[in-house]
C-alpha cells in the first residue's frame, strides 16, 4: 500500500509540474539566482584551498613542534599568504604582461593592414576570388558608423543602463562569493566535521565511508591537477618567451601567454598553442616559420622530458583518449573552464569505475591480463 501511495503521489506531482512548467522553471531560476553566490563562493574556496593547503604544510614544517595547538593561526596565515600571492599575480599580469600583450596585438593589427594587399595579390595569382574581402573593407565607412551610433543614442543609453545594472549585480555576487569563500576556508575543519557527522548520522556506515573516500579522491585529484598544471604552464610560458626572444622571433610575449593558457589543458593545449604560434609567425615573417617550429619542438621536448615528470607527473592518471573526451565534454558544456574542470572529473570517474570493475572481477575470481 505504501509503494502504491508513493507512485500515485509521484504521478500527481509530475502531472502538476508538467502543467505548470513555466512557473516551475521561473521558480528554479530564482532559486538558483539566490544560491549562486554560495555556489560560486564554494567553487572559489575549493580552488583557493589548493595553494592554501600548500602554505599550511610549509608553515607546519617550519614551526615543527611549535605548531601544536596553533592550527587556526596557521590557517589564517595560510589564507593571507594565498590572497597576497593572488594579488601579486594579478598585479604582475596587469603591470608587465598586459602592456606587452597590447603592444603585440597592436603591431599585429597594423601588420595585417599593411600586408593585406600583398595577400590579396597572392590569392588573385592563384585565381581565388577576393572581391568579397575588398567589399567588406569598403563597407567599413567610419562616418556612416558614427551617424548610426548618434541616431541610436537613446537605445544605447538604455542598453548601457542594463549593462551597468547587470555589472553591479555581478560585482555584488562576486563580492559575496569571495566573502563566503573566506569564511569557508577559515572554518573548513569545522565544516568538514559537521558534514561527516551528517553523513554518518543519516546513512549506513559503509555508505558514509564510501562517500568520504570519493570526496577525498575528488579533492586530491583536483589539487594535483590544478597545482601541477599551473606551475607547468608558468614554466612553459617562460621558456617560450625566452626562447622566442633569444632567437628573434616575433610576438614573444603574446605567444608565451597563449602557450601558458593552453598548457592548462594536457595534451590538447600543446597542439593549440603550437598552431597559434606558427600562424602568428607566418603572418609576421614567413621566413621564420621553420625556426618557430624548431624552437617549439625543442622547448616541448625539454619540458616533456625534464620538467613535466618532476613538476606535474601523472597528475590526472588518464590516458590521452580520455583526456580528449573530458576536454570535448567540458568545452561543449562550459567552454574553457569546462575543459579545465572536466578533465579531473573524468579522472575521478575513471578511477572509481576501475576500482569497482576490479572489485567485481575479484569476487568472480577472474583475472584479465
Amino acid at each position: 500500500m505504501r509503494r502504491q501511495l508513493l507512485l500515485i503521489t509521484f504521478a500527481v506531482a509530475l502531472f502538476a509540474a508538467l502543467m505548470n512548467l513555466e512557473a516551475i522553471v521561473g521558480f528554479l531560476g530564482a532559486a538558483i539566482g539566490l544560491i549562486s553566490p554560495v555556489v560560486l563562493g564554494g567553487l572559489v574556496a575549493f580552488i583557493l584551498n589548493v595553494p592554501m593547503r600548500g602554505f599550511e604544510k610549509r608553515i607546519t614544517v617550519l614551526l615543527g613542534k611549535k605548531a601544536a595547538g596553533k592550527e587556526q593561526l596557521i590557517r589564517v596565515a595560510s589564507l593571507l599568504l594565498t590572497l597576497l600571492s593572488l594579488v601579486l599575480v594579478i598585479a604582475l599580469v596587469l603591470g608587465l604582461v598586459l602592456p606587452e600583450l597590447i603592444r603585440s596585438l597592436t603591431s599585429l593589427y597594423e601588420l595585417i593592414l599593411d600586408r593585406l594587399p600583398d595577400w590579396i595579390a597572392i590569392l588573385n595569382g592563384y585565381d581565388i576570388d577576393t572581391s568579397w574581402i575588398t567589399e567588406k573593407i569598403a563597407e567599413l565607412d567610419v562616418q556612416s558608423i558614427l551617424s548610426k551610433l548618434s541616431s541610436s543614442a537613446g537605445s544605447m543609453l538604455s542598453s548601457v543602463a542594463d549593462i551597468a545594472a547587470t555589472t553591479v549585480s555581478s560585482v555584488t555576487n562576486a563580492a559575496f562569493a569571495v566573502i563566503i569563500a573566506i569564511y569557508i576556508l577559515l572554518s573548513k575543519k569545522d565544516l568538514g566535521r559537521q558534514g561527516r557527522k551528517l553523513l554518518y548520522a543519516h546513512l549506513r556506515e559503509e555508505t558514509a565511508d564510501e562517500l568520504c573516500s570519493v570526496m577525498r579522491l575528488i579533492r586530491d585529484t583536483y589539487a594535483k591537477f590544478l597545482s601541477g598544471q599551473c606551475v607547468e604552464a608558468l614554466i612553459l610560458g617562460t621558456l617560450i618567451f625566452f626562447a622566442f626572444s633569444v632567437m628573434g622571433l616575433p610576438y614573444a610575449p603574446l605567444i608565451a601567454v597563449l602557450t601558458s593558457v593552453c598548457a592548462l589543458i594536457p595534451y590538447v593545449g600543446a597542439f593549440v598553442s603550437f598552431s597559434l604560434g606558427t600562424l602568428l609567425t607566418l603572418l609576421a615573417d614567413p621566413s621564420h616559420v621553420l625556426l618557430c617550429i624548431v624552437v617549439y619542438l625543442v622547448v616541448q621536448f625539454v619540458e616533456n622530458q625534464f620538467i613535466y615528470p618532476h613538476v606535474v607527473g601523472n597528475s590526472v592518471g588518464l590516458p590521452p583518449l580520455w583526456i580528449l573526451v573530458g576536454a570535448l565534454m567540458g568545452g561543449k558544456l562550459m567552454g574553457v573552464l569546462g575543459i579545465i574542470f572536466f578533465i579531473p572529473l573524468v579522472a575521478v570517474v575513471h578511477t572509481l569505475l576501475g576500482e569497482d570493475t576490479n572489485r567485481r572481477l575479484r569476487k568472480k575470481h577472474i583475472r584479465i591480463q
Side-chain angles (χ1 to χ4, degrees), residues 116-166:
L116 188 59
D118 298 333
W119 296 337
I120 292 177
I122 293 173
L123 293 176
N124 289 330
Y126 288 98
D127 295 330
I128 298 176
D129 184 21
T130 59
S131 59
W132 63 274
I133 300 178
T134 55
E135 291 175 0
K136 292 295 182 181
I137 296 175
E139 291 175 359
L140 295 176
D141 188 1
V142 178
Q143 295 297 329
S144 62
I145 293 175
L146 292 177
S147 62
K148 290 179 181 179
L149 290 176
S150 60
S151 62
S152 58
S155 60
M156 285 179 60
L157 287 176
S158 61
S159 300
V160 169
D162 294 338
I163 293 173
T166 305

Side-chain angles (χ1 to χ4, degrees), residues 171-199:
V171 171
T172 303
N173 288 337
F176 276 112
V178 171
I179 295 172
I180 291 171
I182 292 174
Y183 276 104
I184 290 175
L185 291 172
L186 289 177
S187 57
K188 60 181 181 179
K189 187 174 181 180
D190 295 333
L191 291 175
R193 184 177 64 251
Q194 293 169 4
R196 289 193 298 273
K197 289 173 65 176
L198 286 173
L199 286 177

Side-chain angles (χ1 to χ4, degrees), residues 297-357:
L297 292 177
V298 171
V299 171
Q300 288 286 351
F301 176 79
V302 172
E303 188 265 343
N304 288 330
Q305 297 297 322
F306 303 104
I307 297 175
Y308 192 89
H310 299 285
V311 175
V312 182
N314 196 11
S315 59
V316 293
L318 275 180
L321 174 62
W322 295 111
I323 290 178
L324 290 174
V325 171
L328 289 174
M329 291 173 56
K332 288 290 185 181
L333 293 176
M334 299 171 58
V336 178
L337 287 178
I339 294 175
I340 296 174
F341 282 98
F342 258 70
I343 292 175
L345 180 61
V346 173
V348 171
V349 174
H350 182 269
T351 302
L352 293 176
L353 184 60
E355 292 177 353
D356 182 68
T357 302

